[in-house]
Amino acid sequence: MSPQRTRTAVLISGRGSNMRSIVEAAQKSDFNASIDLVISNRGDAAGLAFAQSKDIATITIEHKAFASREDFEHEIDAVLRAHQIELICLAGFMRVLTSWFVQKWSGRLINIHPALLPSYRGLHTHERALADGVKIHGCTVHFVVPEMDEGPIIAQAAVNVRDDDTADTLGARVLEQEHIIYPMALDLLAAGRLLVKDNCVRIKEAHAQDQALRVPRL
Ligand code: GRF
């Protein structure tokens, strides 16, 4: 294990496949983040069982149990602080966060979105990409800002769109890429290698290693 791994929480609402890819990446000794907490806003989130199987602390904070979004987020924030969390990955966390929470965690809160932002913000990205006939689609890891699906872009990966694609087949290929770029982006953030200037992210000491349509190429 690297000496000072950055304590990280992953927030999920469901399947948790991105959380799983992050947890598995963090098992490598040279990964710069440790996954110390998984929070779900739903007790039936399938991803919780995987995290528990890896002896990661899991907590369900049901949003429905709180009178307001702010109350819900104050509870999340308190739990994060109790676990000395430094970074947060949103991974299929299906709650919109308020400016209060986002600003509190500014620069330490990242998200994965299943499209090449700034195209296809919001839901049903694969269906909309197919309906538009785009030839290239993909996924994006970005810093979270109060505006939904905006914020400085850390990493993106592209996949080609095939003539016979359905939302499911296209989404499955995009998901494979999500599982590659999300751990990569977290590792860079945890290592302190991301510089944000004028809404753009630059990576310290980046070097090309492969020719994949995946940026950054490290
Ligand atoms: C992923 O497609 C991610 O891009 C989006 O929500 C989905 C979550 O999937 N934000 P999973 O729970 O990580 O499997």
Side-chain angles (χ1 to χ4, degrees):
M1 300 283 156
S2 56
Q4 290 172 321
R5 308 215 302 161
T6 311
R7 291 179 65 80
T8 301
V10 185
L11 271 54
I12 65 170
S13 296
R15 177 178 58 180
S17 71
N18 277 289
M19 177 269 294
R20 184 180 186 131
S21 72
I22 290 169
V23 167
E24 285 171 349
Q27 288 174 336
K28 296 188 194 108
S29 59
D30 59 349
F31 200 78
N32 288 286
S34 59
I35 310 307
D36 299 291
L37 178 64
V38 172
I39 297 177
S40 173
N41 66 310
R42 299 179 53 119
D44 60 357
L48 289 170
F50 173 78
Q52 284 155 3
S53 78
K54 296 290 176 187
D55 289 330
I56 296 168
T58 61
I59 296 181
T60 298
I61 304 175
E62 299 264 5
H63 60 276
K64 289 182 188 154
F66 295 86
S68 69
R69 212 175 271 279
E70 286 76 11
D71 289 352
F72 169 60
E73 292 179 1
H74 274 94
E75 178 63 17
I76 293 179
D77 186 62
V79 169
L80 291 166
R81 279 187 288 120
H83 285 78
Q84 289 107 38
I85 294 300
E86 299 162 276
L87 300 178
I88 306 170
C89 295
L90 304 180
F93 183 66
M94 300 302 285
R95 303 302 300 167
V96 174
L97 294 166
T98 66
S99 300
W100 172 78
F101 187 91
V102 170
Q103 276 159 10
K104 189 148 200 249
W105 288 89
S106 176
R108 301 179 295 151
L109 173 61
I110 62 177
N111 180 47
I112 181 119
H113 182 73
L116 291 172
L117 292 173
S119 294
Y120 304 114
R121 295 181 175 120
L123 298 174
H124 309 299
T125 55
H126 310 313
E127 287 86 344
R128 288 157 57 209
L130 287 174
D132 285 343
V134 299
K135 304 303 180 198
I136 295 175
H137 187 48
C139 50
T140 303
V141 182
H142 62 99
F143 283 105
V144 177
V145 295
E147 298 74 30
M148 199 171 69
D149 298 331
E150 294 193 21
I153 291 170
I154 300 168
Q156 292 186 304
V159 303
N160 64 314
V161 180
R162 297 177 186 158
D163 288 349
D164 61 352
D165 261 330
T166 63
D168 284 348
T169 61
L170 179 57
R173 291 204 307 290
V174 170
L175 192 64
E176 276 176 32
Q177 297 300 319
E178 294 183 31
H179 296 164
I180 295 168
I181 66 169
Y182 210 177
M184 182 178 79
L186 171 61
D187 191 42
L188 289 168
L189 177 62
R193 290 182 59 197
L194 301 182
L195 301 172
V196 185
K197 190 176 173 218
D198 298 334
N199 201 43
C200 294
V201 176
R202 299 282 178 261
I203 294 161
K204 291 187 206 165
E205 298 150 24
H207 53 274
Q209 199 178 64
D210 65 51
Q211 298 302 310
L213 267 177
R214 200 178 290 136
V215 178
R217 297 171 183 163
L218 293 171

